[in-house]
Amino acid sequence: MAGQTPGLKKQLDEHVNVLRVIKGLILSFLITLPCFLGFALILTYTDFPEKYTFIAVLITTIVSVLTASVYSTKNVKSKGWINGCAVGVLYVVVLYLASSIVFMNFTVDVQVILTVIIGAIVGCLGGIFGINLH
């Protein structure tokens, strides 16, 4: 019977990883929403130049994805970088779809590609950090 437990544990870990990625994705948006709201207020009530909007979105993306990927991988035994990368890429995809729907513009440009790459890299790094926390 002892031989069956590691296989069962491995199967459960694989399912928990998906759940942790989803929880990480939710956490990332719980961080993002107040940041974007605060930034929208700053843009509305100050003379903050709109040309820095992409930088603010990028900083928010980095903080959100890094935090969420560390969280989603802190109790995972292996493949933290893949789980973290999944959080980063899914975050950017959801953010892209939401902004595309709001602005009715589904164009893929250099900023979108750059954001996906940064989301993936930051997610991988967060996954590596998170897996090494235990």
Side-chain angles (χ1 to χ4, degrees), residues 76-94:
V76 174
K77 302 279 188 252
S78 65
K79 298 180 185 173
W81 67 275
I82 292 174
N83 290 306
C85 186
V87 170
V89 170
L90 287 173
Y91 171 88
V92 173
V93 167
V94 170

PDB file of all heavy atoms in Angstrom, residues 76-94:
ATOM      1  N   VAL A  76       4.224  23.958  -3.969  1.00  0.00           N
ATOM      2  CA  VAL A  76       4.337  22.998  -5.059  1.00  0.00           C
ATOM      3  C   VAL A  76       5.714  22.354  -4.980  1.00  0.00           C
ATOM      4  O   VAL A  76       6.698  22.996  -4.632  1.00  0.00           O
ATOM      5  CB  VAL A  76       4.134  23.712  -6.423  1.00  0.00           C
ATOM      6  CG1 VAL A  76       4.374  22.785  -7.581  1.00  0.00           C
ATOM      7  CG2 VAL A  76       2.740  24.298  -6.500  1.00  0.00           C
ATOM      8  N   LYS A  77       5.787  21.072  -5.292  1.00  0.00           N
ATOM      9  CA  LYS A  77       7.047  20.331  -5.173  1.00  0.00           C
ATOM     10  C   LYS A  77       7.950  20.473  -6.408  1.00  0.00           C
ATOM     11  O   LYS A  77       9.156  20.430  -6.301  1.00  0.00           O
ATOM     12  CB  LYS A  77       6.754  18.844  -4.949  1.00  0.00           C
ATOM     13  CG  LYS A  77       5.909  18.576  -3.726  1.00  0.00           C
ATOM     14  CD  LYS A  77       6.748  18.597  -2.478  1.00  0.00           C
ATOM     15  CE  LYS A  77       5.958  18.154  -1.290  1.00  0.00           C
ATOM     16  NZ  LYS A  77       5.614  19.203  -0.369  1.00  0.00           N
ATOM     17  N   SER A  78       7.352  20.615  -7.584  1.00  0.00           N
ATOM     18  CA  SER A  78       8.154  20.701  -8.800  1.00  0.00           C
ATOM     19  C   SER A  78       7.427  21.527  -9.848  1.00  0.00           C
ATOM     20  O   SER A  78       6.244  21.825  -9.710  1.00  0.00           O
ATOM     21  CB  SER A  78       8.444  19.304  -9.356  1.00  0.00           C
ATOM     22  OG  SER A  78       7.245  18.684  -9.779  1.00  0.00           O
ATOM     23  N   LYS A  79       8.152  21.881 -10.886  1.00  0.00           N
ATOM     24  CA  LYS A  79       7.623  22.630 -12.023  1.00  0.00           C
ATOM     25  C   LYS A  79       7.035  23.985 -11.623  1.00  0.00           C
ATOM     26  O   LYS A  79       6.055  24.439 -12.191  1.00  0.00           O
ATOM     27  CB  LYS A  79       6.587  21.806 -12.778  1.00  0.00           C
ATOM     28  CG  LYS A  79       7.137  20.530 -13.362  1.00  0.00           C
ATOM     29  CD  LYS A  79       6.083  19.759 -14.087  1.00  0.00           C
ATOM     30  CE  LYS A  79       6.641  18.429 -14.540  1.00  0.00           C
ATOM     31  NZ  LYS A  79       5.633  17.560 -15.108  1.00  0.00           N
ATOM     32  N   GLY A  80       7.660  24.640 -10.674  1.00  0.00           N
ATOM     33  CA  GLY A  80       7.197  25.955 -10.247  1.00  0.00           C
ATOM     34  C   GLY A  80       7.262  26.976 -11.358  1.00  0.00           C
ATOM     35  O   GLY A  80       6.378  27.813 -11.500  1.00  0.00           O
ATOM     36  N   TRP A  81       8.299  26.893 -12.175  1.00  0.00           N
ATOM     37  CA  TRP A  81       8.445  27.867 -13.251  1.00  0.00           C
ATOM     38  C   TRP A  81       7.326  27.731 -14.279  1.00  0.00           C
ATOM     39  O   TRP A  81       6.865  28.737 -14.825  1.00  0.00           O
ATOM     40  CB  TRP A  81       9.823  27.762 -13.893  1.00  0.00           C
ATOM     41  CG  TRP A  81      10.065  26.481 -14.652  1.00  0.00           C
ATOM     42  CD1 TRP A  81      10.484  25.296 -14.151  1.00  0.00           C
ATOM     43  CD2 TRP A  81       9.891  26.286 -16.048  1.00  0.00           C
ATOM     44  NE1 TRP A  81      10.581  24.363 -15.153  1.00  0.00           N
ATOM     45  CE2 TRP A  81      10.225  24.941 -16.327  1.00  0.00           C
ATOM     46  CE3 TRP A  81       9.494  27.105 -17.092  1.00  0.00           C
ATOM     47  CZ2 TRP A  81      10.164  24.409 -17.604  1.00  0.00           C
ATOM     48  CZ3 TRP A  81       9.434  26.579 -18.366  1.00  0.00           C
ATOM     49  CH2 TRP A  81       9.773  25.242 -18.609  1.00  0.00           C
ATOM     50  N   ILE A  82       6.861  26.505 -14.521  1.00  0.00           N
ATOM     51  CA  ILE A  82       5.764  26.305 -15.476  1.00  0.00           C
ATOM     52  C   ILE A  82       4.460  26.848 -14.894  1.00  0.00           C
ATOM     53  O   ILE A  82       3.699  27.533 -15.587  1.00  0.00           O
ATOM     54  CB  ILE A  82       5.615  24.814 -15.845  1.00  0.00           C
ATOM     55  CG1 ILE A  82       6.827  24.353 -16.650  1.00  0.00           C
ATOM     56  CG2 ILE A  82       4.327  24.581 -16.636  1.00  0.00           C
ATOM     57  CD1 ILE A  82       6.854  22.875 -16.951  1.00  0.00           C
ATOM     58  N   ASN A  83       4.214  26.559 -13.616  1.00  0.00           N
ATOM     59  CA  ASN A  83       2.998  27.072 -12.978  1.00  0.00           C
ATOM     60  C   ASN A  83       3.013  28.596 -12.915  1.00  0.00           C
ATOM     61  O   ASN A  83       2.001  29.247 -13.172  1.00  0.00           O
ATOM     62  CB  ASN A  83       2.848  26.480 -11.572  1.00  0.00           C
ATOM     63  CG  ASN A  83       2.519  25.008 -11.618  1.00  0.00           C
ATOM     64  OD1 ASN A  83       1.577  24.607 -12.257  1.00  0.00           O
ATOM     65  ND2 ASN A  83       3.319  24.212 -10.946  1.00  0.00           N
ATOM     66  N   GLY A  84       4.157  29.164 -12.577  1.00  0.00           N
ATOM     67  CA  GLY A  84       4.277  30.619 -12.541  1.00  0.00           C
ATOM     68  C   GLY A  84       4.095  31.239 -13.912  1.00  0.00           C
ATOM     69  O   GLY A  84       3.433  32.265 -14.070  1.00  0.00           O
ATOM     70  N   CYS A  85       4.674  30.614 -14.913  1.00  0.00           N
ATOM     71  CA  CYS A  85       4.525  31.093 -16.291  1.00  0.00           C
ATOM     72  C   CYS A  85       3.060  31.046 -16.718  1.00  0.00           C
ATOM     73  O   CYS A  85       2.568  31.962 -17.376  1.00  0.00           O
ATOM     74  CB  CYS A  85       5.390  30.264 -17.228  1.00  0.00           C
ATOM     75  SG  CYS A  85       5.424  30.872 -18.921  1.00  0.00           S
ATOM     76  N   ALA A  86       2.361  29.984 -16.321  1.00  0.00           N
ATOM     77  CA  ALA A  86       0.934  29.868 -16.647  1.00  0.00           C
ATOM     78  C   ALA A  86       0.151  31.016 -16.025  1.00  0.00           C
ATOM     79  O   ALA A  86      -0.717  31.610 -16.673  1.00  0.00           O
ATOM     80  CB  ALA A  86       0.388  28.528 -16.167  1.00  0.00           C
ATOM     81  N   VAL A  87       0.472  31.358 -14.782  1.00  0.00           N
ATOM     82  CA  VAL A  87      -0.197  32.489 -14.130  1.00  0.00           C
ATOM     83  C   VAL A  87       0.066  33.766 -14.916  1.00  0.00           C
ATOM     84  O   VAL A  87      -0.850  34.542 -15.208  1.00  0.00           O
ATOM     85  CB  VAL A  87       0.274  32.649 -12.659  1.00  0.00           C
ATOM     86  CG1 VAL A  87      -0.235  33.953 -12.063  1.00  0.00           C
ATOM     87  CG2 VAL A  87      -0.187  31.482 -11.812  1.00  0.00           C
ATOM     88  N   GLY A  88       1.322  33.997 -15.282  1.00  0.00           N
ATOM     89  CA  GLY A  88       1.688  35.213 -16.012  1.00  0.00           C
ATOM     90  C   GLY A  88       1.021  35.329 -17.364  1.00  0.00           C
ATOM     91  O   GLY A  88       0.467  36.373 -17.723  1.00  0.00           O
ATOM     92  N   VAL A  89       1.047  34.252 -18.127  1.00  0.00           N
ATOM     93  CA  VAL A  89       0.460  34.284 -19.473  1.00  0.00           C
ATOM     94  C   VAL A  89      -1.063  34.404 -19.388  1.00  0.00           C
ATOM     95  O   VAL A  89      -1.666  35.201 -20.124  1.00  0.00           O
ATOM     96  CB  VAL A  89       0.894  33.051 -20.292  1.00  0.00           C
ATOM     97  CG1 VAL A  89       0.115  32.948 -21.588  1.00  0.00           C
ATOM     98  CG2 VAL A  89       2.392  33.101 -20.573  1.00  0.00           C
ATOM     99  N   LEU A  90      -1.690  33.645 -18.505  1.00  0.00           N
ATOM    100  CA  LEU A  90      -3.146  33.743 -18.355  1.00  0.00           C
ATOM    101  C   LEU A  90      -3.564  35.137 -17.896  1.00  0.00           C
ATOM    102  O   LEU A  90      -4.566  35.676 -18.361  1.00  0.00           O
ATOM    103  CB  LEU A  90      -3.662  32.687 -17.380  1.00  0.00           C
ATOM    104  CG  LEU A  90      -3.676  31.264 -17.904  1.00  0.00           C
ATOM    105  CD1 LEU A  90      -4.038  30.292 -16.785  1.00  0.00           C
ATOM    106  CD2 LEU A  90      -4.656  31.125 -19.063  1.00  0.00           C
ATOM    107  N   TYR A  91      -2.808  35.729 -17.005  1.00  0.00           N
ATOM    108  CA  TYR A  91      -3.089  37.089 -16.543  1.00  0.00           C
ATOM    109  C   TYR A  91      -3.095  38.059 -17.725  1.00  0.00           C
ATOM    110  O   TYR A  91      -4.024  38.844 -17.888  1.00  0.00           O
ATOM    111  CB  TYR A  91      -2.046  37.512 -15.501  1.00  0.00           C
ATOM    112  CG  TYR A  91      -2.126  38.967 -15.120  1.00  0.00           C
ATOM    113  CD1 TYR A  91      -2.961  39.385 -14.099  1.00  0.00           C
ATOM    114  CD2 TYR A  91      -1.364  39.929 -15.779  1.00  0.00           C
ATOM    115  CE1 TYR A  91      -3.041  40.723 -13.746  1.00  0.00           C
ATOM    116  CE2 TYR A  91      -1.436  41.260 -15.435  1.00  0.00           C
ATOM    117  CZ  TYR A  91      -2.281  41.653 -14.420  1.00  0.00           C
ATOM    118  OH  TYR A  91      -2.354  42.981 -14.088  1.00  0.00           O
ATOM    119  N   VAL A  92      -2.053  38.001 -18.537  1.00  0.00           N
ATOM    120  CA  VAL A  92      -1.949  38.917 -19.671  1.00  0.00           C
ATOM    121  C   VAL A  92      -3.062  38.661 -20.681  1.00  0.00           C
ATOM    122  O   VAL A  92      -3.649  39.605 -21.226  1.00  0.00           O
ATOM    123  CB  VAL A  92      -0.554  38.810 -20.334  1.00  0.00           C
ATOM    124  CG1 VAL A  92      -0.491  39.620 -21.610  1.00  0.00           C
ATOM    125  CG2 VAL A  92       0.520  39.260 -19.365  1.00  0.00           C
ATOM    126  N   VAL A  93      -3.397  37.410 -20.933  1.00  0.00           N
ATOM    127  CA  VAL A  93      -4.471  37.084 -21.877  1.00  0.00           C
ATOM    128  C   VAL A  93      -5.804  37.640 -21.385  1.00  0.00           C
ATOM    129  O   VAL A  93      -6.551  38.266 -22.149  1.00  0.00           O
ATOM    130  CB  VAL A  93      -4.556  35.552 -22.118  1.00  0.00           C
ATOM    131  CG1 VAL A  93      -5.840  35.166 -22.827  1.00  0.00           C
ATOM    132  CG2 VAL A  93      -3.348  35.082 -22.905  1.00  0.00           C
ATOM    133  N   VAL A  94      -6.112  37.438 -20.109  1.00  0.00           N
ATOM    134  CA  VAL A  94      -7.375  37.961 -19.556  1.00  0.00           C
ATOM    135  C   VAL A  94      -7.377  39.486 -19.604  1.00  0.00           C
ATOM    136  O   VAL A  94      -8.377  40.104 -19.989  1.00  0.00           O
ATOM    137  CB  VAL A  94      -7.603  37.442 -18.114  1.00  0.00           C
ATOM    138  CG1 VAL A  94      -8.764  38.160 -17.444  1.00  0.00           C
ATOM    139  CG2 VAL A  94      -7.835  35.940 -18.129  1.00  0.00           C
TER     140      VAL A  94
END
